[in-house]
Amino acid sequence: LLDTLKERGWRNTYPLMVGVWEEAVLSSPSVNLWIPNARHGPPVIEAVFSQTLKGVEGRFVGAEPSDLPAPLRERLAHEAMQLGYLFQGLGYFGRCGFDAVLVGQSFENPKIHWIECNGRWGGVSTPVTLANRLTGEWSGEGLIVVQQSEIRLQPRPFESTLAQLDDLLLKRPQKPDGIVLLTPGRLVSGSGMNFMAIGKSAQEAQKTATDAVMRLLAPESHRSEAS
C-alpha cells in the first residue's frame, strides 16, 4: 500500500485517511441541511443535489438538483435528517452537507453509503444560500452549479467577463434569473470557472449555464461577438 501511495505522489505525510473505493456507483447525491441550535427547532433539509464528477478520481465539477426517483430522494432526505439530529444532539449547529454514493445495478433499490460530512460552507451550500438570499425563496429546482478548476483559460480583466456574459447575468429586479459569478478571481487569473445559473426550471438553468461555459471557452477572436 505504501509503495502504491508513493507512486501516486504521497510523500510520507501523516495523518493519512484511508477510505473505500466503491464499484458499480450509480450516482453521488449530496443532501444540504441547515442545523440550528436545538432550542430553535429541528434540522432543515434544503435540497437533494446530484454532484457532477469528472475523471477516474471523481473530481467535483458541479451540481444540480437531483432527478433521482422520488422514493429514493425521500430515503436520502430521511437518512440525512437522522444524521442531522445526531449532529444537533452532539452540539453542532450551522451549515452542513452529507455526501453519499448509490451503489448497485439500478436505481430501484441501491445501497446508500454515506461517505462524507461537510460541516462547513462548500461547493453546493454556498450557492444554495446565495440563491435563497437573491430570490427570497429558492424553489429547489432551477439551480446549476459549475465549478471547473482543472481547465486553463486566457486571463482576462473582470470587466471583460462582465461584458461577455452581460445578457446572461442575473440582475435584480429587472432580470431575476441568470448567471451569478461565485469566484470571479479564477476567471481573472485564467485558473478556471465557478458560477451558478438560476432559472425557472432545471432545464432553463442548464441552458443558461451551457451558454455561459461556451462563451467563456470561446477563442479570443469570438468573444466580442458573444458579448
Side-chain angles (χ1 to χ4, degrees):
L1 178 59
L2 293 178
D3 289 341
T4 301
L5 290 172
K6 289 177 180 177
E7 289 174 2
R8 293 179 175 270
W10 180 63
R11 295 293 177 265
N12 299 309
T13 53
Y14 289 95
L16 180 65
M17 182 176 71
V18 179
V20 176
W21 188 259
E22 300 285 4
E23 300 289 344
V25 173
L26 298 167
S27 178
S28 180
S30 175
V31 184
N32 278 263
L33 300 86
W34 175 257
I35 302 178
N37 188 293
R39 67 176 181 271
H40 295 150
V44 177
I45 302 287
E46 292 196 319
V48 179
F49 273 78
S50 290
Q51 300 183 98
T52 305
L53 307 177
K54 186 176 182 180
V56 294
E57 66 274 29
R59 293 192 309 275
F60 175 83
V61 296
E64 58 186 303
S66 176
D67 60 356
L68 292 169
L72 189 49
R73 293 199 305 271
E74 293 170 3
R75 184 177 155 203
L76 285 163
H78 174 70
E79 293 189 14
M81 179 65 87
Q82 290 180 305
L83 292 171
Y85 273 116
L86 173 62
F87 274 53
Q88 189 182 59
L90 293 171
Y92 177 87
F93 66 92
R95 177 63 58 197
C96 198
F98 297 111
D99 295 344
V101 291
L102 304 182
V103 181
Q105 300 303 317
S106 73
F107 288 109
E108 291 185 2
N109 190 31
K111 294 180 180 178
I112 299 177
H113 290 183
W114 296 99
I115 59 174
E116 185 178 12
C117 164
N118 294 316
R120 55 169 171 73
W121 295 100
V124 175
S125 60
T126 301
V128 167
T129 302
L130 183 56
N132 281 331
R133 295 290 181 90
L134 291 174
T135 65
E137 183 177 355
W138 173 58
S139 67
E141 294 183 0
L143 177 64
I144 302 293
V145 180
V146 176
Q147 180 178 307
Q148 298 191 27
S149 57
E150 79 285 356
I151 62 175
R152 291 296 174 262
L153 305 171
Q154 182 70 31
R156 71 195 78 185
F158 184 50
E159 293 77 9
S160 174
T161 298
L162 291 180
Q164 186 181 358
L165 300 176
D166 182 67
D167 62 308
L168 297 180
L169 295 173
L170 183 149
K171 301 175 183 177
R172 293 187 62 84
Q174 64 270 31
K175 190 174 182 299
D177 301 324
I179 295 294
V180 178
L181 299 175
L182 298 174
T183 53
R186 290 184 178 179
L187 291 168
V188 173
S189 65
S191 60
M193 62 179 75
N194 185 201
F195 64 84
M196 69 176 176
I198 297 177
K200 296 180 178 63
S201 65
Q203 293 76 16
E204 181 181 302
Q206 183 63 69
K207 182 181 184 304
T208 302
T210 300
D211 288 348
V213 170
M214 295 299 291
R215 292 189 190 186
L216 294 172
L217 293 177
E220 187 72 34
S221 60
H222 297 298
R223 286 179 187 161
S224 59
E225 298 176 11
S227 61

